[in-house]
Amino acid sequence: MAASGKLYGLAFKSMVNGEINWTSHTIKAMLCTSAYTPNQDTHQYKSSVTNESAGTGYTAGGVALAGKTVNYTAGTNTLILDASDTQWPDSTVTGRYLVLYDDTPSTAETKPLIGYIDFGADVSTTAGVFTSVWDAAGIIGFTTP
């Protein structure tokens, strides 16, 4: 299964406006079904996300990322955002997309989206552990010339 991750384009606007704080805010990962169609150019807040997954062992809104870090490497001019792998233990759930968003603001209309992963096909668990294993290089990387 090939998984591809993308940032929502308006996440940059939310970051510059101070709406997203990777280390001090609650960043969540939620699963969505194949009926959700991500739009990198227009989706900015959680209220744009439809068709969230549902199932045993899955809580609406997703799970908070643990172990979040921000690291800058001067030699490569790279900033990396990372966290521990995300899990829904003992779950029976199906997801096509994993959506990252900042859950700290009070309403869905103000919870900024960060990025999403397209698993390429539905991924399911039946009374098992649904795990998103982040890339060893980190979840999100920014490089400047």
Side-chain angles (χ1 to χ4, degrees):
M1 161 188 51
S4 62
K6 297 183 178 186
L7 290 177
Y8 290 99
L10 293 170
F12 295 108
K13 181 178 177 183
S14 294
M15 287 177 198
V16 170
N17 287 338
E19 297 176 75
I20 297 172
N21 187 315
W22 185 262
T23 53
S24 68
H25 288 183
T26 300
I27 307 298
K28 284 193 170 180
M30 66 184 229
L31 297 175
C32 293
T33 69
S34 58
Y36 170 57
T37 303
N39 188 315
Q40 282 183 273
D41 297 325
T42 62
H43 290 180
Q44 184 173 8
Y45 297 103
K46 185 176 180 259
S47 57
S48 298
V49 179
T50 59
N51 300 297
E52 183 176 3
S53 298
T56 305
Y58 180 84
T59 302
V63 64
L65 298 186
K68 296 177 297 180
T69 60
V70 176
N71 292 303
Y72 178 73
T73 304
T76 60
N77 300 324
T78 304
L79 180 78
I80 299 292
L81 307 180
D82 203 3
S84 302
D85 293 342
T86 304
Q87 294 188 336
W88 288 271
D90 196 25
S91 64
T92 299
V93 65
T94 298
R96 165 68 187 256
Y97 300 98
L98 183 145
V99 174
L100 290 176
Y101 70 98
D102 188 329
D103 190 46
T104 298
S106 59
T107 66
E109 291 78 18
T110 59
K111 295 178 185 288
L113 298 174
I114 300 169
Y116 65 93
I117 294 173
D118 179 350
F119 297 124
D122 285 347
V123 177
S124 300
T125 56
T126 303
V129 180
F130 193 114
T131 303
S132 176
V133 178
W134 302 115
D135 190 287
I139 298 174
I140 300 169
F142 302 94
T143 303
T144 60

